[in-house]
Amino acid sequence: DAGITQSPRHKVTETGTPVTLRCHQTENHRYMYWYRQDPGHGLRLIHYSYGVKDTDKGEVSDGYSVSRSKTEDFLLTLESATSSQTSVYFCAISAGQGARNEQFFGPGTRLTVL
Amino acid sequence: KNEVEQSPQNLTAQEGEFITINCSYSVGISALHWLQQHPGGGIVSLFMLSSGKKKHGRLIATINIQEKHSSLHITASHPRDSAVYICAVRRNFGNEKLTFGTGTRLTIIP
């Protein structure tokens, strides 16, 4: 599992509240990713990071921000949660380089916004 | 049109049958991944391919770069193979990002 943990694993919150999800890795990988998974859409990239303090947007970044102040932690923040952000969120890392690059996923966080 | 298309979307088969799941893509890629997700579970990487064929146990993955097509085969299928199988591609010059298909839900009946 490449030492990836996510917290919390489940969260229920109300519309308009801020929410922060944490991804933690233990193997010093450079690339980290946040995805959301919704029925009919597959996994979609929200934001990714290619190093400490180096982040970039994915295809569904509106309403989300991220921070990476140290190699092992990648935080995803919903500044003001909306019902459309109800989803399962997966963190992932890339291990290896070039042709040996594989992605490993965390266990997921199920977020419900009421 | 999605850049990564999988077929079929759903597949039900009897235990022991040979299973094929297909993935077609429309962009230039440096690698293709096959992932497995059990109901309520996490996502596990099965294969990463850039050419040819790979085999692991009863699973075989092939890729044809010229035709932009990959297949995942399962021999002697078993109920524990029931899961969603996801194809993902890593684009050329894509900064290590993946683009995913919507998955194929496989159900193996005992």
Side-chain angles (χ1 to χ4, degrees), chain A residues 51-65:
Chain A
V52 173
K53 297 194 190 313
D54 291 324
T55 65
D56 205 349
K57 295 179 181 180
E59 59 184 299
V60 290
S61 59
D62 287 349
Y64 301 94
S65 62

Side-chain angles (χ1 to χ4, degrees), chain A residues 31 33 35 37 40-41 43 45 48 90 98-103 105, chain B residues 33 35 37 41-43 45 48 86 90 95-98 100-102:
Chain A
Y31 284 90
Y33 309 82
Y35 297 98
Q37 186 179 40
H41 287 279
L43 286 152
L45 181 65
Y48 67 102
F90 286 96
R100 295 187 299 280
N101 187 328
E102 283 196 68
Q103 285 208 2
F105 291 80
Chain B
H33 299 246
L35 310 167
Q37 185 176 26
I43 300 168
S45 178
M48 184 181 65
I86 302 168
R90 178 153 47 93
N95 206 2
E96 312 298 338
K97 294 183 288 184
L98 296 182
F100 296 82
T102 55

